[in-house]
Amino acid sequence: MIAKLAKTCTLRISPEKLNFILSDKLASGGVSMWCELEQENIFSEFQMEGVSAENNAIYLELTSENLSRALKTAQNARALKIKLTNKHFPCLTVSVELQLSSSSSSRIVTHDIPIKVIPRRLWKDLQEPSVPDSDVSIYLPALKTMKSVVEKMKNISNHLVIEANLNGELNLKIETELVCVTTHFKDLGNPLLSSESASQSRHPEDMAEVHIDIKKLLQFLAGQQVTPTKAVCNIVSNRIVHFDLLLEDISLQYFIPALS
């Protein structure tokens, strides 16, 4: 999923969590991503030592596809070990223990993934993005359906308006000189907004809208391999659209800025 969303990303390793990060300060076009998984849900044994006791973390930059490809070889593995190594250059070494079908013995396959260790002075650009108070928060329709709609729209326009209200309605719109196309989704439901005052002063029918690059939305939708247990879209009018997904043990936040 991450490999489809970001060609290169930052992996943050801390004692409790692993994060895959794409920062809008580093990414072109301002898309940012924060993906979080609890290490205890994945590893039976986990040892890490950060820079210091108060900065107990490691930040690495890597090519997502390289890690994805290495992990794919481990699908039927007996064991998998990931460690930080130095082989003339820093690596994330993935050791996969594979059972040989004909016997009880096994073989080890090793992948050395080149990485860059990110110095501490750059960590400040790689913190969890703060989520601005949204004007409208709405549950998303089936992402597969949304993807097929957006794929067709991409053939007509490069940008799209995503709009929603507190009545459970979400519209995807494209407008060109020749044509105007809108897809309506109804009865989606709205999560409770944390800023109650905003939702009380807002008429349920009023649409909040944001104008975005259609390719960025499609990239996000194409990256979804698994049906999420929760999928929410938060719109800050004319500023940003924030997707908040929960996929079993993984949480994913994805931000697409408005086109100026």
Coordinates of all heavy atoms in Angstrom, one line a residue, residues 77 91 99 102 110 184 206 213 215 222 245:
A77 N 7.2 -17.7 4.8 CA 8.4 -17.9 5.5 C 8.2 -18.5 6.9 O 7.2 -18.3 7.5 CB 9.2 -16.6 5.7
C91 N 22.1 0.0 5.7 CA 21.1 -0.9 5.0 C 20.1 -1.3 6.0 O 20.3 -1.4 7.2 CB 21.7 -2.2 4.6 SG 22.7 -2.1 3.1
Q99 N 11.3 -22.4 4.5 CA 11.3 -23.9 4.7 C 11.4 -24.5 3.3 O 10.8 -24.1 2.3 CB 9.9 -24.3 5.2 CG 9.7 -25.7 5.5 CD 10.1 -26.1 6.9 OE1 9.9 -25.4 7.8 NE2 10.7 -27.3 7.0
S102 N 11.0 -30.1 0.4 CA 11.3 -31.6 0.4 C 11.9 -32.1 1.7 O 11.9 -33.3 1.9 CB 12.4 -31.8 -0.7 OG 13.4 -30.9 -0.6
T110 N 18.6 -13.2 2.0 CA 18.9 -11.9 2.6 C 18.7 -10.8 1.6 O 19.3 -10.9 0.5 CB 20.3 -11.9 3.2 OG1 20.4 -13.0 4.1 CG2 20.6 -10.6 3.9
H184 N -23.1 11.6 -7.2 CA -23.6 11.8 -5.9 C -23.6 10.6 -5.0 O -24.0 9.5 -5.5 CB -25.1 12.3 -6.0 CG -25.3 13.5 -6.8 ND1 -25.2 14.8 -6.3 CD2 -25.5 13.7 -8.2 CE1 -25.4 15.7 -7.3 NE2 -25.6 15.0 -8.4
D206 N -25.5 22.5 3.9 CA -24.4 23.3 3.3 C -23.2 22.5 3.0 O -22.7 21.7 3.8 CB -24.0 24.4 4.4 CG -24.9 25.6 4.5 OD1 -25.9 25.6 3.6 OD2 -24.7 26.4 5.3
D213 N -6.2 18.1 -7.1 CA -5.6 17.4 -8.3 C -6.2 16.0 -8.4 O -6.0 15.2 -7.4 CB -4.1 17.4 -8.1 CG -3.4 16.8 -9.3 OD1 -3.9 16.0 -10.0 OD2 -2.2 17.2 -9.5
K215 N -5.2 13.4 -10.0 CA -4.2 12.4 -10.0 C -3.8 12.0 -8.5 O -3.6 10.8 -8.2 CB -2.9 12.8 -10.7 CG -3.1 12.7 -12.2 CD -1.7 12.8 -12.9 CE -1.7 13.3 -14.3 NZ -1.8 14.8 -14.3
A222 N -5.9 4.2 -5.5 CA -5.3 3.0 -6.1 C -4.4 2.3 -5.0 O -4.1 1.1 -5.2 CB -4.4 3.5 -7.2
L245 N -8.1 6.6 7.7 CA -8.5 5.2 7.5 C -7.9 4.3 8.6 O -6.8 4.5 9.1 CB -7.9 4.7 6.1 CG -8.7 4.9 4.9 CD1 -9.1 6.3 4.6 CD2 -8.0 4.3 3.7

